[in-house]
Amino acid sequence: QLQLVESGGGLVEPGGSLRLSCTASGITLDRYAVGWFRQAPGKEREGVACISIRGVTVENTDYADSAKGRFAISRDNAKNTVYLQMNSLNPDDTGIYYCVVEYNAWTTIRAMTPDHWGPGTQVTVSS
């Protein structure tokens, strides 16, 4: 059974950093597009970042405009884990962050249509 488990959320001050982790069981993440979505209070879920692969070695990362230059998504295939490094956090980054998988190896964050969602991890940016 496929499971996605997020960790690494918490409370951080503006300007701070967090690293989220998404560990999977029942699926090998390096065969699919993996992304991070978030949902802020009172807002719709939005895609933040995704990592996808074409063939064996061609990998692509893509980010929402709000994340460019501040967030970085990466994989550790040996650990079957995907990370989201978030720097220069601000209160607008507050929300529940979800790890997602799409059964499509290659996509962009704007086109991503997740097939599976993790339960989410709370990120709160506040002083």
Side-chain angles (χ1 to χ4, degrees), residues 60-78:
N60 181 64
T61 57
D62 192 38
Y63 300 91
D65 289 342
S66 60
K68 286 179 181 177
R70 301 187 301 127
F71 294 4
I73 188 170
S74 62
R75 301 182 195 259
D76 184 334
N77 293 335

Side-chain angles (χ1 to χ4, degrees), residues 18-112:
L18 284 174
R19 189 178 78 157
L20 306 183
S21 300
C22 171
T23 301
S25 58
I27 189 173
T28 303
L29 290 180
D30 65 0
R31 299 178 182 177
Y32 304 103
V34 183
W36 290 91
F37 278 56
R38 68 185 180 190
Q39 186 165 22
K43 295 186 178 180
E44 294 185 355
R45 288 180 181 178
E46 62 172 346
V48 174
C50 74
I51 186 166
S52 54
I53 192 165
R54 177 172 289 163
V56 177
T57 60
V58 178
E59 197 166 73
N60 181 64
T61 57
D62 192 38
Y63 300 91
D65 289 342
S66 60
K68 286 179 181 177
R70 301 187 301 127
F71 294 4
I73 188 170
S74 62
R75 301 182 195 259
D76 184 334
N77 293 335
K79 295 182 178 179
N80 205 26
T81 297
V82 170
Y83 302 100
L84 184 67
Q85 177 67 43
M86 304 188 294
N87 301 323
S88 301
L89 288 162
N90 61 65
D92 289 338
D93 296 314
T94 294
I96 300 174
Y97 283 68
Y98 300 91
C99 178
V100 300
V101 170
E102 179 180 328
Y103 285 153
N104 184 15
W106 190 265
T107 190
T108 65
I109 192 59
R110 290 161 187 78
M112 195 171 194

